[in-house]
Amino acid sequence: MGSRTAAFWLGVRALLPMHLGVMPFGVIYGIVALQSGIPPLAAVMMSSVVFAGSAQFLLAQLVGVGAPALLMIGATGLVNLRHLLYSASVAPMLERLPWRWKLLLSYLLTDEAYAAAIPHLLAAPASPFAHWILFGAGFALWAGWQLATLAGVLLGAGLPADWPLDFALPLTFIAIVVPLLTDRRRIGVALFAGAIAVVLAGLPYKLGLFCAAMGGLLLARLWPEKVVP
Amino acid sequence: MSLWLVFVGAGLLTFITRFSFIALAGRHCLPAWFVALLPCVPVAALTALVAPDLLLVAGNLSVGTDNPRFWAGLVAIGVAAWRRSVLLTISSGFAVLWVLRFLSGG
């Protein structure tokens, strides 16, 4: 990580494989949004105004059934609760940055950008260019998401739906998480969080995901970390 | 138009959620036990994202032949532990998925 451009491209490269999964997801969002009666321009704009995949899907569905405005906003808040954890996780590394950077990186802080950048941020938290990695990952995802949404809105339902490309996302997350499982405590935390997520997968608004992450952290809190001599 | 108001409201709420701790850091001292938990966030949160994708088929737990994603995921976990390469992990997972889908006639 010698310079800001190197750090930026490191972030972009870490995110690129996820586009395999994000692109179809974005295209399908565009199609679903139109089917719910959202005007094309609004459907495309939602991708930069809200910029949160699962929340956008939910919003499109709620618009389709004519849900009240406050319920739609509240549901978005619930779906995005897990971002609190990402925010807490990267906060110490962004502490010294000027506000414009904090605002920009907060806007770009998605599941994917966080996942792509966090191994590099953990490896070199004190690097003066660490925020450029997160920016590279965040920007790469943002650009891909806008393009995919636009493609979905423009091409409509004329795309094959049976490609299992969405599987690229869990596979990429696996590639990121497994190397972080360096001791029994972390493996325990991962297994526990994964089990809760499976049990609570039926909860609405992705609440199971948030509960699972919190459950994993609770276990981490109760399980004393082995002090390396 | 109220649709735009909803989008702006949802966008603001999303942003505030992501900004929350980033805004607080450096201004208020977070408790040490809380900071010590932060390295576990990616492990807990990302595993919670992945596990239902691998283990559930239409909402039901399945680790049988009707769930190729579980087996493909297992192989990917093994490859990730063995080689720590994103590209190798993704390609091995897809390879297993496609072979299993082919074998099951899908």
Side-chain angles (χ1 to χ4, degrees):
Chain A
M1 222 186 303
S3 69
R4 55 186 66 173
T5 33
F8 176 82
W9 286 110
L10 185 64
V12 172
R13 273 201 311 276
L15 192 113
L16 277 184
M18 298 190 200
H19 274 146
L20 264 182
V22 168
M23 287 293 194
F25 193 53
V27 171
I28 297 166
Y29 155 74
I31 296 168
V32 170
L34 289 189
Q35 284 168 350
S36 316
I38 298 176
L41 179 67
V44 174
M45 289 298 291
M46 205 212 292
S47 281
S48 47
V49 174
V50 181
F51 186 46
S54 31
Q56 287 178 230
F57 262 95
L58 185 67
L59 272 176
Q61 283 163 358
L62 292 176
V63 169
V65 298
L70 276 179
L71 185 135
M72 289 199 263
I73 297 174
T76 312
L78 289 178
V79 172
N80 286 330
L81 266 180
R82 64 189 186 284
H83 291 115
L84 281 177
L85 295 172
Y86 304 153
S87 184
S89 171
V90 297
M93 300 142 190
L94 312 180
E95 202 176 287
R96 287 164 191 282
L97 293 176
W99 283 103
R100 57 174 198 280
W101 268 106
K102 291 186 180 178
L103 291 166
L104 175 67
L105 294 177
S106 299
Y107 170 69
L108 293 174
L109 190 64
T110 52
D111 291 316
E112 291 82 5
Y114 172 75
I118 194 68
H120 302 290
L121 295 179
L122 290 174
S127 156
F129 304 117
H131 54 291
W132 282 90
I133 302 175
L134 188 55
F135 177 56
F139 176 76
L141 182 81
W142 185 88
W145 183 246
Q146 307 306 323
L147 284 179
T149 306
L150 193 63
V153 168
L154 292 179
L155 302 175
L159 291 161
D162 194 37
W163 292 355
L165 283 179
D166 59 303
F167 197 45
L169 274 184
L171 286 177
T172 318
F173 290 138
I174 285 172
I176 288 161
V177 168
V178 169
L180 295 175
L181 302 175
T182 46
D183 55 38
R184 276 190 198 174
R185 177 169 170 266
R186 291 185 179 196
I187 293 173
V189 167
L191 291 176
F192 191 55
I196 300 176
V198 168
V199 172
L200 299 183
L203 287 186
Y205 306 138
K206 292 212 167 200
L207 281 177
L209 197 55
F210 181 67
C211 295
M214 292 303 282
L217 291 178
L218 184 69
L219 180 71
R221 172 86 172 110
L222 298 174
W223 189 330
E225 198 165 2
K226 218 174 247 167
V227 182
V228 181
Chain B
M1 184 182 167
S2 80
L3 190 64
W4 285 101
L5 280 178
V6 169
F7 287 1
V8 170
L12 268 178
L13 195 58
T14 303
F15 175 79
I16 290 168
T17 311
R18 290 169 177 166
F19 189 46
S20 55
F21 283 95
I22 293 176
L24 287 174
R27 309 184 69 204
H28 302 276
C29 247
L30 297 169
W33 64 265
F34 182 84
V35 176
L37 282 184
L38 294 181
C40 282
V41 169
V43 172
L46 298 179
T47 310
L49 268 179
V50 171
D53 281 343
L54 298 187
L55 292 166
L56 298 178
V57 175
N60 297 310
L61 186 67
S62 167
V63 291
T65 45
D66 63 329
N67 186 6
R69 288 184 180 220
F70 169 71
W71 300 104
L74 266 194
V75 170
I77 289 170
V79 170
W82 174 48
R83 275 296 147 95
R84 312 202 155 199
S85 148
V86 178
L87 219 57
L88 216 58
T89 304
I90 295 178
S91 37
S92 64
F94 266 122
V96 173
L97 182 69
W98 264 309
V99 167
L100 291 179
R101 274 166 65 109
F102 177 76
L103 290 179
S104 66

